[in-house]
Amino acid sequence: MKEYLLQLADNALILGHRLGEWCGHAPEMELDIALTNIALDLTGQARSLYQRVAELDGLGKTEDDYAYLRDAWEFRNTLLVEQPNGDFAHTIVRQFIFDSYHYYMCQALTQSKDEWLAGFAVKSLKEITYHLRFSSEWMMRLGDGTPISHEKTQAAIEDIWTFSGELTTLNEVEKVMASQGIGADLEKIKPAIAGKMAEVLAAANLTAPTGTWMQSGGKDGKHSEHLGFILAEMQFLQRAYPGQEW
Amino acid sequence: MNNLNFETIFQSKIDEETKIEPKDWMPEAYRKTLIRQISQHAHSEIVGMLPEGNWITRAPSLRRKLILLAKVQDEAGHGLYLYSAAETLGADRDDLVQQLLTGKAKYSSIFNYPTLNWADIGAIGWLVDGAAIMNQVMLTRTSYGPYARAMVRICKEESFHQRQGYEIMIAMAKGSPEQKAMAQDSLNRWWWPSLMMFGPNDSDSTHSDQALKWKIKRKSNDELRQQFVDVTVPQAEYLGLTVPDPDLRWNEERGHYDFGEINWDEFWSVVKGNGPCNRQRLQARVKAYEDGAWVRDAATAYAEKKEQRKLAPEATAKAA
């Protein structure tokens, strides 16, 4: 259970962190506000999940112990969310792929047999519904905007697609959780996720690559080289000055 | 009626505290002064996102990270309302942004100083937002209606910002010796630039007299600066930090703190572009603007296509 919650939490934390990097540098002020909103929602979700893990752990740990005092191999996020922001097209494609998964996954979790998790999912689903609408709309603006935006967005899809498969491929933890009716059964929701992505891509005049090799490993702690640098930055103060209140 | 009569009516409205609204007659100089001041304020909010944004990825706890993200987001929001307030005077947001990017328009010089340790995020909230609030509370009573109303909303958020900044300072000043050292280092670097935020001494301020008569400003630079020092020094004492001014002392007779002479050479030097980060701040804004051009173009092109499809759904269907 804890492993499962950490997967969910780490995805939210790391993607929220990446979006926070945009703050002050977005293509327009309205986008600064929107991207920060999503970062706030995701970081907030990560907090709730870490707090729950701490409760289940019963070791007197806090939310910050999980975010700031684990090393890369202990993180359980997917490879997708740790990918760099790149240009705005890369950020939107990454977000859209994640939101498509996140939305249907979270919708499934609202039916979880675990009462806490179901409640968390109901609350988060409202936020994620907005995220998916935002990223879908931007996929269409960029894909069906100008020839330049189309080209950049198609290129971003080619770069990022390889990380999309991991989201819907169950690892051992997810299999166990799904079999107990606690976790989302990704096999079941896979068609809905694929359907949503196909619908938006078609409306945006964009094409999903075929036959792409899907990278995986993040859910089991085997990450890309990027995560180490994210953590080096994020954990700097907690590591340099251990055990202090901030 | 000639201009003279208009001007008399205008001034009498101001004298009797009636707000000036966008469609009211106003002297060109009043309009220009307001556009300059409101857009400078908007630019300051937007450039001000950078020094704090510098610590978002390094915030030391999830709670602090959320608060900082929300704060920097508020600043983007303030920038937006202020540009809108300037637009009620006939200015255009894109033109105003161009003036910022080309270096023609100014923004608050305080944001040309770097954030070097985490306590700087506390000090910016406590001192910089604290100084801004002194000015902004006054501006909630400014004579131009849309500006005054924007300020009411902004002030509410700013006072939250100031509290969170002071809360960081408390945590640091009451924390480990290293944290206390960071807090002191940060006060040392931000104290004087914060006093400079109120602008030149009244005797040297070029815009002040007319602005007071028009009730754009309602207190002078020196009055606001004194008010800030009086409020802030006891807060520094509570933190157990030393204000870096050997001449600072309570003056029983005046009922105010006396404080040392501001280094006006530094002030003017930073205004002229020689602060530690002037170049980087502007470059960051220019880069965001230039890198974002294709995104804004895409959004415009898409909106136009959508509009056309709405107007001629059949033609689009045939073309497809």
Side-chain angles (χ1 to χ4, degrees):
Chain A
M1 179 77 187
K2 286 180 290 182
E3 281 287 306
Y4 185 65
L5 296 181
L6 282 175
Q7 282 188 25
L8 302 177
D10 291 346
N11 272 333
L13 177 74
I14 300 299
L15 186 55
H17 184 90
R18 281 295 193 209
L19 293 173
E21 293 173 357
W22 271 106
C23 195
H25 305 279
E28 58 187 3
M29 283 171 261
E30 289 82 350
L31 280 171
D32 255 314
I33 293 176
L35 293 174
T36 311
N37 250 334
I38 301 175
L40 281 164
D41 288 343
L42 291 172
T43 311
Q45 290 171 14
R47 269 187 94 181
S48 303
L49 289 160
Y50 290 133
Q51 285 166 7
R52 179 65 181 161
V53 174
E55 224 173 271
L56 296 174
D57 258 345
L59 300 169
K61 287 190 181 179
T62 70
E63 57 188 43
D64 290 331
D65 291 330
Y66 299 96
Y68 292 92
L69 300 175
R70 284 180 304 150
D71 206 339
W73 64 82
E74 297 168 279
F75 271 76
R76 292 290 176 262
N77 60 281
T78 52
L79 299 174
L80 176 76
V81 298
E82 66 200 40
Q83 297 311 306
N85 287 339
D87 63 10
F88 187 69
H90 282 77
T91 292
I92 287 298
V93 170
R94 183 186 65 196
Q95 193 64 36
F96 170 67
I97 294 172
F98 184 77
D99 292 341
S100 303
Y101 146 81
H102 207 199
Y103 176 80
Y104 290 101
M105 192 278 299
C106 193
Q107 198 178 49
L109 285 185
T110 61
Q111 306 301 316
S112 172
K113 284 186 182 155
D114 182 89
E115 205 181 321
W116 183 90
L117 192 53
F120 167 79
V122 168
K123 184 171 162 278
S124 303
L125 191 60
K126 287 182 198 147
E127 298 170 345
I128 298 166
T129 304
Y130 160 76
H131 303 170
L132 179 59
R133 198 174 72 209
F134 170 85
S135 58
S136 302
E137 284 172 3
W138 273 101
M139 286 295 283
M140 289 191 264
R141 286 189 190 106
L142 298 182
D144 191 19
T146 64
I148 293 174
S149 70
H150 176 81
E151 193 185 313
K152 283 179 185 281
T153 310
Q154 188 61 47
I157 292 175
E158 308 289 334
D159 284 344
I160 295 174
W161 205 252
T162 185
F163 303 110
S164 64
E166 188 187 10
L167 292 167
T168 48
T169 310
L170 287 104
N171 73 349
E172 284 311 310
V173 171
E174 287 168 319
K175 277 181 197 160
V176 173
M177 286 291 108
S179 72
Q180 295 177 4
I182 294 173
D185 187 344
L186 298 175
E187 279 303 330
K188 251 193 217 159
I189 58 174
K190 225 173 178 170
I193 299 171
K196 176 70 187 178
M197 297 217 278
E199 173 204 320
V200 173
L201 288 178
N205 279 334
L206 295 163
T207 325
T210 48
T212 307
W213 172 258
M214 291 299 176
Q215 298 292 343
S216 63
K219 286 179 182 180
D220 298 311
K222 287 194 285 289
H223 290 278
S224 61
E225 290 175 344
H226 303 296
L227 185 64
F229 289 95
I230 293 178
L231 298 184
E233 203 172 330
M234 184 168 81
Q235 299 180 338
F236 152 64
L237 282 166
Q238 289 269 358
R239 298 290 192 181
Y241 306 98
Q244 307 189 0
E245 294 291 323
W246 300 92
Chain B
M1 268 198 307
N2 58 27
N3 261 8
L4 204 64
N5 290 341
F6 279 124
E7 219 160 328
T8 317
I9 297 168
F10 171 82
Q11 188 63 51
S12 65
K13 270 192 199 166
I14 286 183
D15 294 341
E16 65 201 28
E17 301 290 334
T18 305
K19 294 280 179 246
I20 305 300
E21 294 300 333
K23 287 180 178 157
D24 294 349
W25 186 92
M26 60 186 86
E28 260 325 283
Y30 177 85
R31 186 187 298 276
K32 270 195 187 149
T33 304
L34 274 168
I35 292 177
R36 182 178 54 79
Q37 190 177 321
I38 297 173
S39 61
Q40 275 183 12
H41 190 165
H43 302 329
S44 303
E45 296 282 357
I46 298 302
V47 176
M49 295 169 73
L50 299 170
E52 290 181 284
N54 184 38
W55 279 88
I56 288 174
T57 56
R58 290 175 291 168
S61 71
L62 293 176
R63 180 169 165 267
R64 291 288 178 212
K65 187 173 183 166
L66 277 181
I67 294 173
L68 183 57
L69 273 167
K71 176 175 195 277
V72 180
Q73 186 191 39
D74 283 348
E75 280 152 16
H78 296 173
L80 279 179
Y81 327 140
L82 287 163
Y83 285 122
S84 304
E87 286 189 323
T88 65
L89 290 157
D92 176 77
R93 174 170 139 187
D94 290 338
D95 295 342
L96 297 174
V97 169
Q98 282 310 316
Q99 288 173 10
L100 169 69
L101 299 178
T102 54
K104 207 180 138 205
K106 298 288 178 209
Y107 54 87
S108 180
S109 274
I110 193 82
F111 300 119
N112 291 317
Y113 290 87
T115 48
L116 302 178
N117 81 55
W118 171 252
D120 288 11
I121 300 306
I124 288 183
W126 172 38
L127 301 173
V128 176
D129 294 331
I133 288 170
M134 293 288 161
N135 199 33
Q136 288 165 358
V137 166
M138 166 191 82
L139 289 172
T140 60
R141 297 188 302 123
T142 192
S143 56
Y144 185 58
Y147 193 22
R149 291 188 288 271
M151 270 316 132
V152 171
R153 184 159 171 194
I154 289 176
C155 273
K156 281 186 197 152
E157 293 177 348
E158 289 292 351
S159 62
F160 158 72
H161 296 171
Q162 201 213 1
R163 267 206 307 281
Q164 68 80 34
Y166 194 61
E167 200 194 277
I168 291 177
M169 293 309 283
I170 294 175
M172 304 286 286
K174 310 282 178 198
S176 68
E178 291 106 326
Q179 286 176 310
K180 192 167 179 185
M182 288 181 217
Q184 183 63 54
D185 171 54
S186 141
L187 175 57
N188 292 348
R189 284 179 288 107
W190 291 96
W191 175 256
W192 288 107
S194 299
L195 295 194
M196 293 176 198
M197 282 175 71
F198 297 97
N201 286 135
D202 296 346
S203 50
D204 303 319
S205 179
T206 43
H207 302 299
S208 276
D209 286 349
Q210 186 65 64
L212 285 169
K213 186 175 167 224
W214 280 336
K215 295 188 183 166
I216 294 176
K217 287 181 68 134
R218 311 199 58 137
K219 287 180 180 179
S220 75
N221 295 353
D222 285 331
E223 279 176 90
L224 287 167
R225 188 169 11 245
Q226 181 70 59
Q227 198 182 337
F228 174 73
V229 171
D230 290 347
V231 169
T232 310
V233 169
Q235 294 171 346
E237 280 168 2
Y238 175 80
L239 293 171
L241 299 177
T242 310
V243 174
D245 178 358
D247 297 323
L248 183 77
R249 61 183 56 86
W250 178 251
N251 182 326
E252 195 63 59
E253 208 172 304
R254 291 202 309 127
H256 292 293
Y257 282 93
D258 290 338
F259 54 95
E261 184 63 22
I262 286 169
N263 180 347
W264 293 112
D265 291 342
E266 177 182 329
F267 173 81
W268 289 114
S269 171
V270 179
V271 168
K272 284 178 188 136
N274 300 321
C277 301
N278 293 60
R279 192 172 289 265
Q280 292 86 330
R281 298 293 184 236
L282 210 53
Q283 277 170 350
R285 287 317 309 162
V286 169
K287 184 172 189 307
Y289 185 82
E290 287 177 354
D291 289 355
W294 69 270
V295 176
R296 297 188 301 273
D297 290 347
T300 311
Y302 179 75
E304 279 166 9
K305 281 187 199 175
K306 221 175 149 182
E307 194 57 33
Q308 274 169 13
R309 278 173 206 153
K310 219 190 288 170
L311 292 174
E314 281 172 34
T316 319
K318 271 179 209 157

